[in-house]
Amino acid sequence: MTIVTRFAPSPTGFVHIGSLRTVLYNYLYTKQNDGKFMLRIEDTDRARFVEGSVENLQNVLASVGLIPDEGPNNPGDKGPYFQSERLDIYQTHIKTLLDDDKAYYCFCSSDRLTELREEQQSLWLPTKYDKKCRYLTPEETQEKLDAGAQYTIRLKVPDNTEITFEDAVRGKITIPSKDVDEQVLMKTDGFPTYHFAVVVDDHLMWVTDIIRGDEWIPSTPKHVLLYSAFGWEMPKFSHVPPLLWEGWKKLSKRTGDVSVESFLAKWFLPEAMLNYISLLGWNPKTTQEIFSMSELIEKFKLSDVHRAGAIFEESRMEWFNSEYIKSYETTTLWNKIKTYLGRYDNEYLEEISNFPEEYILKILEELKTRMKKLEDFKTLTQFFFTDVADLDPELIVNKKMKIESLTDVKTSLTVALEILENVENKLESIDEIKNTFIDEIKNREMKNGQVLWPVRVALSMQQFSPGWLELIYIFGREKSIQRITKVLKQI
Ligand code: GLU
């Protein structure tokens, strides 16, 4: 039997990082079983539909490389993939349930239902439909239908029984039927509710495994009842734990700052994000932390997903990201940065494209260990592509380094200039630069910091930057001389 999984989002906006993890688990499980992973859009709640969100979702999945095998973009034989295009299918199936006495018409007005709910709430009772219409006679029902009364269609929950299902993560789950609400399956507007559509679609689309967030556990008994009402085989359920914020606040679906889009826009590498979130909820039973996609596919096990919620920490994801950044060949990394720049900061890309690629690669080679996100590339490198900034005395005068005044700065920079201009060797390697400067400073009976602090600041005009050594190395002798001369002129 071919394994079929699905991701079934409601298109209500951006893609939450927790949803991405659900997609990932579906994807890993499917790939390791040579199955098919499907995308289905659950858009029957028209009030919550957000224009553009389906396109956005598909772009996000493509950006992170988790591309469904079947879905709106690449239809197979199980479509349509939008629930809003499957309304006639739900109509046929609801009729079957009505005919088999597994569902019933409900004519209760929304006012009555509100009243009922409020009353139950005031008594601290669980809010449930009181089954009033379940006991209408067939004649009474027909009479109301003939009179054109508005109705919904509800699930008939069997009395005095237990509903049981096996969950790959949680084990066996049993719920007494008295605790299950007689759920609306079909709304007055002829649209199905989530509970009804999800079961019909999962069955008709041959879904064998449902991997989704554990917030759906309370709904699953209703689904189980529907499978048995239709006489359908049940898929295997795996309910995965939620992602939590630092501080245990459940990641809210509407919090934009935990959207995958926002992390992509901060230039997190998709492979680092996926690696990190794969470990939020899954225990690989080893101390290894960096997993390639093929390793994840090989090693991931649904039975090693734990029940407790996992805490999402952006700073932890940054660590994974920096590990990936460091591991890439500089040219590979540069190509990735170019892609991101093209997408998020084309202006900067154009600006630096005027410089020889060799120069950019040299910068990147020295700086990649300092980058947590690709986004840092700009902040770290901007001054390499611009002229010397205005002198900031507050920054360059540094009492700790024995630079008490701008006069001291002038003395030190003049010494640095002298070294750069006069030494015999070419100052082409880090070692050459280091040895030369240390020797020359010693010869002049000065302290290292006294010369090197102003050199670092003069070359970068930044509070934080790579060290003086890397700066001279990257700029090269000529440019370093030019920049220091320009700073000296400002004093
Ligand atoms: N449409 C549901 C959601 O938005 C799908 C839940 C499920 O996977 O069954 O999460």
Side-chain angles (χ1 to χ4, degrees):
M1 184 177 61
T2 311
I3 293 289
V4 181
T5 59
R6 86 314 191 256
F7 177 50
S10 305
T12 53
F14 56 79
V15 186
H16 186 264
I17 189 82
S19 305
L20 184 67
R21 195 206 43 180
T22 304
V23 173
L24 177 64
Y25 285 177
N26 272 286
Y27 184 88
L28 297 176
Y29 176 77
T30 312
K31 295 294 155 193
Q32 67 189 203
N33 286 295
D34 287 327
K36 269 196 186 320
F37 170 54
M38 206 165 42
L39 174 65
R40 180 179 69 233
I41 308 297
E42 306 213 320
D43 59 346
T44 54
D45 188 348
R46 305 309 287 174
R48 289 182 62 211
F49 182 82
V50 174
E51 206 58 57
S53 50
V54 177
E55 293 71 23
N56 175 54
L57 168 78
Q58 299 196 90
N59 288 340
V60 167
L61 294 183
S63 302
V64 300
L66 300 181
I67 301 175
D69 300 304
E70 247 181 69
N73 273 356
N74 45 351
D77 53 4
K78 303 188 197 82
Y81 300 86
F82 285 91
Q83 287 189 327
S84 59
E85 292 170 17
R86 301 172 63 85
L87 299 181
D88 50 341
I89 300 178
Y90 308 126
Q91 287 301 340
T92 317
H93 283 81
I94 201 70
K95 201 169 167 314
T96 309
L97 289 186
L98 286 167
D99 290 349
D100 294 350
D101 200 25
K102 307 284 188 194
Y104 61 91
Y105 291 97
C106 171
F107 303 95
C108 291
S109 67
S110 55
D111 283 351
R112 174 173 191 268
L113 296 173
T114 312
E115 234 169 75
L116 177 66
R117 194 175 50 242
E118 284 170 0
E119 193 188 314
Q120 289 168 336
Q121 278 166 345
S122 72
L123 297 168
W124 297 89
L125 291 170
T127 50
K128 274 194 313 195
Y129 180 56
D130 63 359
K131 306 186 182 180
K132 178 169 182 257
C133 293
R134 178 171 169 173
Y135 303 108
L136 292 174
T137 62
E139 295 71 32
E140 283 168 330
T141 299
Q142 196 53 51
E143 214 171 278
K144 287 182 190 287
L145 289 175
D146 292 343
Q150 284 215 330
Y151 63 81
T152 59
I153 299 172
R154 287 184 184 270
L155 171 69
K156 201 175 246 186
V157 176
D159 298 320
N160 308 320
T161 177
E162 284 187 331
I163 301 153
T164 298
F165 62 96
E166 205 51 58
D167 188 288
V169 176
R170 300 278 185 140
K172 195 170 172 170
I173 298 181
T174 303
I175 288 128
S177 65
K178 69 173 174 40
D179 292 346
V180 181
D181 191 16
E182 305 226 300
Q183 177 68 46
V184 171
L185 302 176
M186 202 51 101
K187 295 181 272 187
T188 7
D189 59 5
F191 274 73
T193 55
Y194 154 71
H195 304 280
F196 185 55
V198 80
V199 170
V200 170
D201 289 344
D202 283 337
H203 174 74
L204 294 181
M205 293 175 159
W206 311 333
V207 171
T208 58
D209 290 78
I210 294 180
I211 304 168
R212 62 183 172 197
D214 67 4
E215 69 271 28
W216 297 104
I217 290 182
S219 304
T220 309
K222 296 172 191 171
H223 304 173
V224 171
L225 286 176
L226 281 167
Y227 280 102
S228 90
F230 281 115
W232 290 339
E233 194 183 326
M234 257 203 307
K236 196 170 109 198
F237 291 102
S238 305
H239 287 99
V240 302
L243 286 196
L244 308 160
W245 271 123
E246 292 129 293
W248 294 96
K249 210 169 78 189
K250 193 161 182 253
L251 285 181
S252 151
K253 285 207 171 179
R254 290 183 181 79
T255 314
D257 57 2
V258 284
S259 68
V260 182
E261 294 88 323
S262 76
F263 294 125
L264 287 171
K266 284 183 189 170
W267 303 21
F268 274 98
L269 290 163
E271 51 276 40
M273 285 170 61
L274 294 177
N275 188 161
Y276 172 58
I277 61 173
S278 75
L279 298 168
L280 297 178
W282 166 57
N283 178 1
K285 301 195 165 157
T286 128
T287 50
Q288 182 183 345
E289 290 190 285
I290 303 294
F291 292 92
S292 66
M293 185 48 89
S294 50
E295 283 177 306
L296 286 177
I297 291 173
E298 189 197 315
K299 304 208 156 103
F300 176 76
K301 274 205 199 114
L302 272 173
S303 54
D304 290 339
V305 170
H306 41 77
R307 298 166 178 207
I311 301 182
F312 173 86
E313 286 170 291
E314 191 170 333
S315 56
R316 200 57 199 131
M317 191 155 82
E318 281 183 356
W319 179 83
F320 277 84
N321 211 47
S322 60
E323 288 300 302
Y324 274 83
I325 291 177
K326 265 188 273 182
S327 74
Y328 285 125
E329 290 274 0
T330 306
T331 37
T332 313
L333 184 60
W334 172 229
N335 284 331
K336 286 178 187 286
I337 293 175
K338 271 198 286 197
T339 309
Y340 272 79
L341 277 174
R343 193 181 310 167
Y344 296 108
D345 197 349
N346 203 36
E347 208 180 314
Y348 192 51
L349 181 60
E350 278 175 11
E351 195 181 311
I352 67 177
S353 299
N354 299 323
F355 290 79
E357 188 153 77
E358 208 185 317
Y359 178 58
I360 302 175
L361 291 175
K362 195 174 175 190
I363 297 173
L364 197 53
E365 175 72 30
E366 289 307 314
L367 295 188
K368 65 181 178 188
T369 52
R370 291 168 184 263
M371 286 167 61
K372 286 193 177 136
K373 283 167 275 178
L374 298 194
E375 185 182 48
D376 300 338
F377 175 75
K378 185 172 179 179
T379 5
L380 285 170
T381 61
Q382 219 161 9
F383 67 88
F384 285 107
F385 303 105
T386 44
D387 208 349
V388 177
D390 288 343
L391 180 70
D392 177 359
E394 301 251 320
L395 193 62
I396 204 159
V397 171
N398 184 332
K399 304 229 155 106
K400 263 197 239 142
M401 299 287 179
K402 302 254 173 298
I403 313 283
E404 307 276 345
S405 63
L406 282 179
T407 320
D408 289 348
V409 173
K410 195 167 179 176
T411 315
S412 300
L413 289 183
T414 313
V415 168
L417 207 53
E418 238 174 68
I419 303 174
L420 284 166
E421 280 172 339
N422 300 328
V423 292
E424 294 281 295
N425 69 53
K426 295 200 171 67
L427 297 178
E428 270 172 355
S429 74
I430 294 257
D431 277 347
E432 229 174 28
I433 302 168
K434 186 169 161 194
N435 296 336
T436 309
F437 267 79
I438 303 295
D439 288 351
E440 294 290 329
I441 294 171
K442 207 171 172 187
N443 289 344
R444 287 168 175 77
E445 291 178 358
M446 292 174 83
K447 292 244 177 296
N448 286 341
Q450 212 182 333
V451 179
L452 301 176
W453 172 266
V455 166
R456 187 194 73 72
V457 177
L459 289 175
S460 68
M461 277 313 167
Q462 304 287 313
Q463 171 116 40
F464 304 104
S465 79
W468 64 277
L469 196 55
E470 288 124 311
L471 292 180
I472 297 179
Y473 171 69
I474 294 169
F475 279 121
R477 192 175 185 167
E478 282 305 300
K479 258 200 190 155
S480 301
I481 292 175
Q482 281 167 19
R483 290 178 86 90
I484 292 176
T485 311
K486 281 186 183 163
V487 174
L488 274 171
K489 278 194 190 138
Q490 291 187 51
I491 300 179

